[in-house]
Structures are given as structure tokens and as C-alpha cells.
Amino acid sequence: MRVSRVQAEENRQTVINVASRLFREHGFDGIGLKDLMEAAGLTQGAFYKQFASKEDLEIQASKRALESASCRWTAAMTANPEDPLGAVVSFYLSTGHREERTDGCPIVALGSDAARHGDEVKASFEAGIRTHLEALERLVSQTPGDEAEGEIKGKAMAILSMMVGALTISRVVNDPDLAKAFLDTAVAQVRTIAAGRTE
């Protein structure tokens, strides 16, 4: 039976959504097309009617995962307008987010994979990283202090680097206390950076 254009587009979006979650859980190379398509409720044969290659899907799924991450940041900021930076940091550097394998930060889950892939996959990540940096720059500029634009950008980069690094390390270690210590220390240090203090 022939699939309508509307249904074909719905199927394509389903595959992208499923892939964005499964890639974060297993990595780009940790899951094959057969399993991806099966998880989306479709046959492997339908894949090439929707995507040029697995890399094409990796690009689309990366964009979707990073858009989702950005939406989560926005939701956290909206939920706590009195302290939007604190809301983002508390959500991002939480034990709950550490445990999220399929819906967690794609930069942490797939960053090293993306670094080994082509320019288009990297471009998806770069766009998402720039969106995160822009959000952090807005948040840092709202903290007390008269800082030049370059200082605000530098603080945003330092904060994002620390958050991604702390979450990555917390996922790598087995000791739950050590994992939590990395998260908690990063929360405190992000506050210090945003406030412009030095220890």
C-alpha cells in the first residue's frame, strides 16, 4: 500500500525523534538502522525513502536533540524568572539529568561521537552550542556588575564548559558520591563565575 505524503512526513519525524533519543543512549555507532527503524515502528526498507544515509539521519537527529535541549533550558528559565541562571544550572547539574540517557544533554551524550564525524554533523552541534552560549550570555548579563561584552562571552563559555565537563565526568565515575560532588562543585563554581568573584 502506498504511503501518503503526509504519512511519509509523519514517519520521517517519528524516525528523527526516536533516533535523537536512541543515539543519545547508544551513540551514533552503537545502534544500527534495523534497530532504529524497528523502534520507530517501521521497516528498514523504509529508511532510504526518507533519508539519504545514516549520516543524514545523524544530522537531523542531532538538530532535534539540541532543539529539545534548548527548549528545556527555556522552560527552566521561564519557571524561575527570579533566578533563571540558577534554574538552568540546578536542572542541568542535577542527579536526575545525570541519569537521563535518552533525553539528556546531547553535547555530553554525543559530543565525542560528533567530533569523529563529518562537518555537517559538527555543524548541528555548533549551532546548538551557540544557542546555549547566547542563552548564558543573556543570563550572565543580568547578574550584577558592569562587564564588557567580551567578559560576558568569556563567562558564558567558561560556564558552559564547566557544566558539560562536570556532567560528563559525573556520568563516567561509578562512585555516586564522587559523581554528586562534581555536580555540586560545578554549581558553586558557576555561581562564582557569574558573580565575577574569584576564589
Side-chain angles (χ1 to χ4, degrees), residues 17 20-22 24-25 65 68-69 72 91 96-97 99-106 109 171:
N17 288 334
S20 81
R21 300 180 82 234
L22 291 178
R24 279 180 274 180
E25 183 177 5
S68 172
R72 292 183 79 183
F91 137 70
H97 189 213
E99 298 303 321
E100 288 184 21
R101 300 297 184 195
T102 58
D103 291 319
C105 177
R171 286 185 174 182

Side-chain angles (χ1 to χ4, degrees), residues 107-128:
I107 301 167
V108 171
L110 292 169
S112 60
D113 279 14
R116 291 187 289 269
H117 279 68
D119 288 346
E120 288 187 66
V121 172
K122 290 180 192 175
S124 299
F125 278 83
E126 184 176 324

Side-chain angles (χ1 to χ4, degrees), residues 24-102:
R24 279 180 274 180
E25 183 177 5
H26 301 285
F28 290 138
D29 298 327
I31 187 163
L33 292 180
K34 180 178 181 290
D35 292 329
L36 275 170
M37 294 302 284
E38 197 173 282
L42 299 165
T43 64
Q44 186 174 351
F47 177 83
Y48 290 102
K49 294 176 184 171
Q50 298 168 336
F51 302 96
S53 62
K54 187 177 179 189
E55 183 171 292
D56 179 24
L57 176 58
E58 291 167 356
I59 293 163
Q60 301 308 318
S62 297
K63 287 179 183 174
R64 182 67 43 87
L66 286 152
E67 287 165 4
S68 172
S70 182
C71 288
R72 292 183 79 183
W73 280 40
T74 301
M77 290 184 273
T78 303
N80 190 352
E82 295 80 30
D83 185 13
L85 177 60
V88 168
V89 172
S90 294
F91 137 70
Y92 192 94
L93 295 172
S94 67
T95 304
H97 189 213
R98 174 187 184 264
E99 298 303 321
E100 288 184 21
R101 300 297 184 195
T102 58

Side-chain angles (χ1 to χ4, degrees), residues 140-148 151-152 155 194-196:
V140 168
S141 69
Q142 294 169 11
T143 59
D146 296 322
E147 291 148 329
E151 289 178 79
I152 291 171
K155 284 185 176 186

